[in-house]
Amino acid sequence: MKELFGSPGKFSGLMLRFGQCSLASASVGFMLSAHNFYNSTAFCYLIASMGLQVLWSFGLACLDLHALRSKRNLQNPVLVSLFVFGDWVTAFLSLSGASSAAGVTVLYARDLNTDYCKSQPGFSCIRFQISVALAFISWFLLAISCHIMLWLLAAL
Amino acid sequence: MKELFGSPGKFSGLMLRFGQCSLASASVGFMLSAHNFYNSTAFCYLIASMGLQVLWSFGLACLDLHALRSKRNLQNPVLVSLFVFGDWVTAFLSLSGASSAAGVTVLYARDLNTDYCKSQPGFSCIRFQISVALAFISWFLLAISCHIMLWLLAAL
């Protein structure tokens, strides 16, 4: 059993999953609290991809907690392969969601005339920006998990 | 020496690099030919990321061609590690560039009122769409290379 930082069934792994889950939830929360987010497909896609990340990371956090309590070993090839596949698919969707929302946010906040955000009633550019920033940090934590899982699979 | 499809120093590898390079060049060409692309940061970022992909893939295509002519073996751990690192960094930048440009393109073509593209003088939404589609296909070919290189590195 490898003692790698962030591997499944370890306390560091649980913390990593908890970080991903909470940051993705916060990103969805900030986006939902901004009015008019549904007018842009990119923002809806960000909510969908971050929602998937919340489900995936929360599920794995519960699994880590169960393994920690019952002292089970989660590092068998089938389970780790499943984690690798899920992590990579989720990371791909999260990165594309965060990037597309970032493109639209930069367009609103910088590329259109500087008063665009203020001129639209109920339009909250700062919430879009915070949501996108949280999505990128959440994706970064997921990318760390992806590499740890790949490393584990290669070592098994 | 592994006989894997698309591995460096093989004809299939050369074709893969040639495909990435030509599709990324076409994406940059379509974006440059659209007027007003410089008004959006996301489109400028797409050009920068696709430009980097052109340079990287063209360089590796030349290396593959040289290896094919001189029958050299490119599969040593140091070179393959370098390919893995370069491929993954380029793929990450390409995906984020294509996604952010896609977000802005969908906003222009669908989310804003349907006549937005026609109402702006010299605004070519169809060129933005073709450029983004080519960028995604180019990224897909690069993703294939990424996985082949990782596979090769694990097998070496």
Side-chain angles (χ1 to χ4, degrees), chain B residues 25-105:
Chain B
S25 311
S27 172
V28 172
F30 267 99
M31 190 52 85
L32 286 175
S33 71
H35 296 289
N36 293 336
F37 75 87
Y38 46 80
N39 287 340
S40 166
T41 307
F43 292 154
C44 297
Y45 178 50
L46 178 79
I47 292 175
S49 60
M50 283 295 123
L52 180 74
Q53 189 173 324
V54 169
L55 289 177
W56 174 253
S57 296
F58 183 73
L60 290 200
C62 290
L63 201 64
D64 280 347
L65 198 66
H66 172 72
L68 272 172
R69 284 191 164 197
S70 59
K71 297 190 194 313
R72 288 255 180 105
N73 180 7
L74 293 179
Q75 296 183 27
N76 70 65
V78 178
L79 261 184
V80 175
S81 303
L82 186 75
F83 296 157
V84 168
F85 179 76
D87 269 348
W88 281 94
V89 169
T90 320
F92 157 71
L93 292 174
S94 296
L95 177 61
S96 59
S99 301
S100 59
V104 176
T105 304

Side-chain angles (χ1 to χ4, degrees), chain A residues 109-131:
Chain A
R110 222 184 67 107
D111 299 335
L112 297 176
N113 63 63
T114 47
D115 290 332
Y116 186 82
C117 286
K118 290 174 193 159
S119 66
Q120 304 288 314
F123 208 80
S124 179
C125 278
I126 191 77
R127 285 176 197 240
F128 294 152
Q129 288 169 331
I130 295 172
S131 174

Side-chain angles (χ1 to χ4, degrees), chain A residues 27-48 101 104-105 108 120-124 127-128 131, chain B residues 103 106-107 110-113:
Chain A
S27 172
V28 172
F30 268 99
M31 190 53 85
L32 286 175
S33 71
H35 296 291
N36 293 335
F37 75 88
Y38 47 79
N39 287 339
S40 167
T41 308
F43 291 154
C44 297
Y45 179 50
L46 178 79
I47 290 174
V104 176
T105 304
Y108 282 149
Q120 304 288 314
F123 208 80
S124 179
R127 285 176 197 240
F128 294 152
S131 174
Chain B
V106 171
L107 185 85
R110 222 184 67 108
D111 299 336
L112 297 176
N113 62 63

Side-chain angles (χ1 to χ4, degrees), chain A residues 22-69:
Chain A
S22 51
L23 284 166
S25 311
S27 172
V28 172
F30 268 99
M31 190 53 85
L32 286 175
S33 71
H35 296 291
N36 293 335
F37 75 88
Y38 47 79
N39 287 339
S40 167
T41 308
F43 291 154
C44 297
Y45 179 50
L46 178 79
I47 290 174
S49 60
M50 283 296 121
L52 180 75
Q53 190 174 324
V54 170
L55 289 177
W56 174 254
S57 296
F58 182 73
L60 290 200
C62 290
L63 201 65
D64 281 346
L65 198 65
H66 172 71
L68 272 172
R69 283 190 164 197

